[in-house]
């Protein structure tokens, strides 16, 4: 698993104008936690990608379908982790995703991924009108990296309510896997690699978990 280290914002400073996991709802208002809140976890904020990664050219990436749902281009978004986040970290009640959010790439920098995938950033993208989310492929709650090789624009489908959008369905998978890791039923590394390879494979289990009262 090759390591790709990034200085927090320097490497991508030339790409100003990119979003994060959410813009208005892409969670842009949730900033990285103050150091004193997260220092107990020893977070390094470095990306270890799950495959060799080079920054893509605009328009060179495309999503594909798996089980009828979009997954990112593995050349452009292989997924990545912050190896300083352990299972013990995730089980700690004090753990919050804000300890990783925007710690390596800013909200503005993340917007470049729209260009990589040839997607026009929606003008209205908040509340019930949200159609895209700039998604951490390996989610932050599972120790996902904040580097750009772990970010992709997850958009659509049209004509459905907000809770039926693809990024909301993936949220179910993220919550399901995080709870499985916390309960010791799935190793953290297995969950990280599995969701990076194909998040849709877990959707049936996540839907059952949601229907049974789990976090949706």
């Amino acid at each position: 698993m090759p390591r790709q280290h990034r200085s927090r914002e320097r490497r991508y400073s030339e790409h100003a104008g990119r979003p994060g996991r959410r813009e208005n709802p892409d969670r842009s208002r949730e900033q990285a936690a103050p150091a004193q809140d997260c220092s107990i976890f020893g977070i390094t904020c470095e990306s270890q990608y799950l495959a060799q990664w080079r920054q893509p050219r605009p328009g060179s990436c495309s999503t594909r379908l798996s089980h009828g749902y979009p997954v990112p281009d593995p050349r452009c978004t292989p997924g990545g982790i912050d190896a300083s986040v352990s299972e013990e970290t995730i089980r700690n009640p004090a753990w919050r995703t804000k300890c990783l959010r925007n710690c390596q790439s800013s909200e503005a920098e993340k917007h470049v991924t729209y260009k990589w995938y040839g997607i026009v950033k929606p003008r209205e993208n908040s509340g019930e009108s949200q159609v895209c989310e700039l998604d951490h492929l390996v989610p932050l709650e599972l120790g996902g990296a904040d580097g750009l090789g772990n970010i992709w624009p997850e958009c659509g489908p049209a004509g459905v309510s907000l809770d039926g959008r693809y990024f909301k369905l993936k949220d179910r998978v993220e919550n399901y896997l995080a709870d499985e890791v916390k309960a010791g039923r799935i190793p953290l590394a297995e969950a990280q690699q599995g969701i990076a390879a194909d998040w849709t494979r877990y959707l049936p289990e996540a839907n059952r978990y949601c229907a049974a009262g789990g976090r949706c």
Side-chain angles (χ1 to χ4, degrees):
M1 187 182 294
R3 293 182 65 87
Q4 301 265 347
H5 299 292
R6 305 284 182 269
S7 62
R8 298 200 172 189
E9 295 186 3
R10 295 176 191 165
R11 180 157 185 120
Y12 305 111
S13 61
E14 71 272 22
H15 299 289
R18 320 170 186 180
R21 169 109 178 165
R22 295 182 181 169
E23 290 155 6
N24 294 331
D26 291 351
R27 301 180 187 172
S28 61
R29 296 178 183 177
E30 183 183 357
Q31 300 300 317
Q36 63 267 26
D37 292 345
C38 299
S39 60
I40 61 171
F41 298 114
I43 302 301
T44 62
C45 213
E46 295 177 346
S47 294
Q48 180 175 319
Y49 293 127
L50 303 181
Q52 289 285 353
W53 182 78
R54 295 179 61 185
Q55 184 163 300
R57 298 186 307 275
S60 64
C61 309
S62 59
T63 58
R64 57 185 177 86
L65 293 180
S66 179
H67 303 100
Y69 300 95
V71 294
D73 191 324
R75 301 168 304 163
C76 305
T77 317
I81 65 168
D82 187 318
S84 64
V85 179
S86 65
E87 291 185 11
E88 181 181 2
T89 305
I90 289 171
R91 293 192 182 106
N92 190 319
W95 168 247
R96 296 292 184 270
T97 58
K98 66 182 181 179
C99 294
L100 288 174
R101 190 173 307 282
N102 300 334
C103 72
Q104 187 176 11
S105 59
S106 70
E107 291 292 337
E109 289 176 319
K110 291 182 175 79
H111 278 82
V112 76
T113 59
Y114 279 115
K115 296 179 180 179
W116 295 349
Y117 279 83
I119 295 173
V120 177
K121 177 182 173 293
R123 298 184 63 180
E124 298 291 334
N125 198 44
S126 63
E128 291 295 322
S129 298
Q130 185 184 3
V131 294
C132 293
E133 175 174 296
L134 286 169
D135 181 61
H136 290 84
L137 179 57
V138 180
L140 300 183
E141 65 179 317
L142 286 174
D146 193 53
L148 296 180
N150 193 42
I151 306 291
W152 66 298
E154 189 173 13
C155 301
V160 301
S161 61
L162 180 61
D163 60 3
R165 305 265 159 77
Y166 296 132
F167 50 86
K168 289 293 187 181
L169 299 181
K170 184 172 179 287
D171 283 347
R172 292 186 189 180
V173 170
E174 296 174 5
N175 293 334
Y176 162 71
L177 287 175
D179 285 355
E180 290 292 287
V181 169
K182 291 175 185 177
R185 290 187 288 265
I186 297 179
L188 177 58
E190 179 181 324
Q192 292 169 331
Q193 293 169 12
I195 198 169
D198 185 352
W199 69 269
T200 71
R201 62 186 285 200
Y202 298 104
L203 189 54
E205 294 94 330
N207 285 336
R208 288 192 289 269
Y209 153 89
C210 177
R215 293 184 297 137
C216 295

